[in-house]
Amino acid sequence: MESLLLRPNGPLKGIVHAGGAKNSALKLMAATLLAEGSHVLRNVPQITDVAIMAEVLEALGAKVSTQGSTLTIVVPATEDLVAEAPYELVEQMRASIVVLGPLLARCGRARVSLPGGDDIGSRPIDIHVDGLAKLGVSFRTQHGYVEGSVSEGGLVGQNIVLEYPSHTATDNLLMAAVLAKGTSVIDNAAREPEVEDLAIMLNKMGAKISGLGSSRLVIEGVEQLTPTDHAVIPDRVVAATYLLAAAISGGSVTIADGRPDHMEMLLAKLGVMGADVSMTPEGLRLDAPERLLASDVATLPYPGVATDYKPLIVAALSVAEGVSIVSENLFEGRFRYIDELRRMGADIRTEGHHAVIRGVPSLSGAPVRAPDIRAGAALVLAGLVAEGSTEISGIEHIDRGYEAIERRLSALGASVERRS
Ligand code: EPU
């Protein structure tokens, strides 16, 4: 099992690329299933989750080839698609559920293993299923699989109001509605930039989606889509990770491909924490104060502060001046890494979905375990400044969402080494 070994090495300085967004790339890969032929995706991050999604697509009958950050995906004719995503793959990555919409739209049926729980709380798929049922899919669940079949008349456009703006449910509904007969409206849709990126690519494939980036998406169904060539937007959570690495270490880091318009609320919070954030000709730059200031943060669906930023913010606030309250409003279990931060000397008390963080002057290095992607990244941030050495195990979680994290941090001056 590999681990990351970190030692404090002063303020981080320099320029780094975030690379393509995981949560966009995975959906764009699924979206290729909607059209027979050869698709090209650029700026795809080289991370484990992308490799798993490539395996999912291959299990469904597509051919995926990778050249650096460019993927070519060849999708077969409908009769050669396999409408079943197996347990062995879905179990490794919940996001595989986004093949449900495209498979139903293309094949008229789909059998997808039910994603299990993971370390960030129970995450049902009722919003996906209810929305797709409205479009004309009947579902049953058996042997751990959700099985959907489209009624004889095919998918039919409908008005759907989401009970909650679920990110992947919006993705699934968009990918089903683009090939439905007539017009669909998705109200209370997720507004994440990655959902918008998906809609942009679908439109390039010939879909007719309007209201992009808003909570009301209007989709006029079309008969057929065609392959396209699309570049994935930069990863705002990876960008946030390097900005917070600068913030916690008192440094200054520029994200060459940073998109401030995708992370406005976070940047505002970083300002409250005393950082100076600016757009420069080189990219999105953060200059940290000598010591960060406390700030209260509550996670909310986009454009609120993303739940994915939260562990990173908690790590930074654990050494800030003053007391902060951080509230998690999306996922129930997303506080588990706090025990690990406490073992590093952080003073954090949790109460329900709130965490009270009393900033301490310094953390102390310890062996810790990464419970999920973002929590793992939070432990990396803590390890950048903790006295002594911090050895993080469970880094396969970090590799799911971060490309070459140790190389990029080293280039910014961090002392970090991968050990096997
Ligand atoms: N929910 C339901 N029923 C559903 C769907 C969601 O109750 O059918 C609940 C969930 O249990 C959760 C809340 O709604 O409490 C939010 O879930 P959402 O569906 O919006 O999240 P997701 O689509 O499963 C995506 C990202 C997550 C990110 C969230 C929030 C992907 C592959 N995953 O998950 O990213 O945290 O949106 O923005 O896009 C990550 O990258 O590490 C990650 C977890």
Side-chain angles (χ1 to χ4, degrees):
M1 278 297 167
E2 290 185 330
S3 63
L4 285 179
L5 185 71
L6 291 110
R7 292 196 183 83
N9 201 29
L12 297 198
K13 288 204 163 69
I15 301 187
V16 65
H17 276 87
K22 167 177 85 70
N23 289 345
S24 188
L26 297 175
K27 319 330 169 32
L28 303 180
M29 290 172 75
T32 63
L33 293 169
L34 288 164
E36 180 185 350
S38 180
H39 304 251
V40 178
L41 289 177
R42 299 176 197 278
N43 200 32
V44 178
Q46 294 173 60
I47 52 176
T48 319
D49 273 11
V50 163
I52 297 172
M53 186 56 96
E55 279 188 57
V56 172
L57 295 184
E58 299 232 326
L60 302 176
K63 295 263 172 298
V64 184
S65 51
T66 310
Q67 258 195 322
S69 62
T70 301
L71 291 189
T72 304
I73 302 170
V74 181
V75 174
T78 308
E79 57 274 21
D80 295 324
L81 272 177
V82 178
E84 174 166 333
Y87 170 77
E88 298 71 42
L89 294 172
V90 179
E91 179 250 352
Q92 291 179 51
M93 185 181 68
R94 287 189 54 88
S96 323
I97 192 70
V98 293
V99 300
L100 184 61
L103 286 179
L104 288 167
R106 262 316 278 294
C107 308
R109 61 189 180 81
R111 190 165 182 266
V112 177
S113 173
L114 276 170
D118 57 22
D119 249 13
I120 52 175
S122 75
R123 298 160 79 190
I125 57 160
D126 53 316
I127 302 174
H128 303 237
V129 164
D130 291 350
L132 291 165
K134 271 207 109 178
L135 297 178
V137 185
S138 17
F139 283 101
R140 64 174 183 172
T141 307
Q142 61 175 13
H143 308 305
Y145 279 75
V146 56
E147 297 178 6
S149 58
V150 176
S151 62
E152 247 173 52
L155 294 170
V156 178
Q158 292 291 345
N159 286 3
I160 300 168
V161 184
L162 300 188
E163 189 181 334
Y164 174 91
S166 160
H167 184 155
T168 43
T170 305
D171 294 329
N172 255 330
L173 290 170
L174 257 182
M175 290 189 275
V178 286
L179 288 180
K181 283 194 197 78
T183 303
S184 300
V185 178
I186 308 176
D187 249 319
N188 200 23
R191 295 171 57 191
E192 271 83 356
E194 296 79 20
V195 176
E196 186 178 359
D197 199 23
L198 171 64
I200 291 171
M201 175 163 130
L202 290 170
N203 279 347
K204 282 162 77 176
M205 292 168 72
K208 292 189 175 156
I209 306 168
S210 55
L212 276 66
S214 80
S215 57
R216 186 181 167 87
L217 297 168
V218 180
I219 307 114
E220 230 182 280
V222 297
E223 289 225 331
Q224 209 185 333
L225 298 175
T226 50
T228 191
D229 184 322
H230 186 78
V232 181
I233 56 168
D235 197 308
R236 62 197 162 102
V237 190
V238 173
T241 305
Y242 292 114
L243 289 180
L244 277 147
I248 198 170
S249 68
S252 58
V253 165
T254 300
I255 314 294
D257 50 354
R259 287 279 302 260
D261 53 326
H262 288 172
M263 43 203 305
E264 276 177 28
M265 199 57 78
L266 174 74
L267 300 183
K269 283 289 169 193
L270 289 170
V272 175
M273 288 162 69
D276 183 25
V277 182
S278 57
M279 200 57 202
T280 71
E282 288 75 39
L284 177 62
R285 175 179 171 128
L286 182 142
D287 292 288
E290 217 161 278
R291 187 169 179 200
L292 292 168
L293 303 172
S295 170
D296 293 343
V297 181
T299 63
L300 279 175
Y302 192 84
V305 176
T307 178
D308 303 279
Y309 299 142
K310 198 203 54 200
L312 312 169
I313 296 173
V314 168
L317 290 175
S318 72
V319 289
E321 171 117 49
V323 181
S324 310
I325 298 178
V326 174
S327 308
E328 170 62 48
N329 294 316
L330 275 80
F331 293 121
E332 58 196 57
R334 246 190 173 174
F335 272 140
R336 282 176 206 165
Y337 60 96
I338 284 179
D339 289 336
E340 301 295 272
L341 286 176
R342 278 201 201 106
R343 296 185 49 250
M344 297 178 71
D347 180 352
I348 308 176
R349 199 161 58 82
T350 53
E351 186 70 50
H353 57 114
H354 306 289
V356 179
I357 305 154
R358 291 186 171 79
V360 292
S362 65
L363 295 173
S364 74
V368 286
R369 167 162 283 277
D372 68 58
I373 307 179
R374 311 304 172 193
L379 296 174
V380 169
L381 296 185
L384 291 172
V385 293
E387 284 164 13
S389 61
T390 299
E391 184 159 15
I392 306 175
S393 56
I395 62 167
E396 63 280 4
H397 291 295
I398 300 176
D399 292 335
R400 287 184 50 192
Y402 290 85
E403 185 177 323
I405 193 166
E406 71 278 20
R407 249 196 295 129
R408 293 189 184 173
L409 284 172
S410 301
L412 297 174
S415 164
V416 49
E417 173 192 328
R418 183 178 290 254
R419 293 192 152 182
S420 44

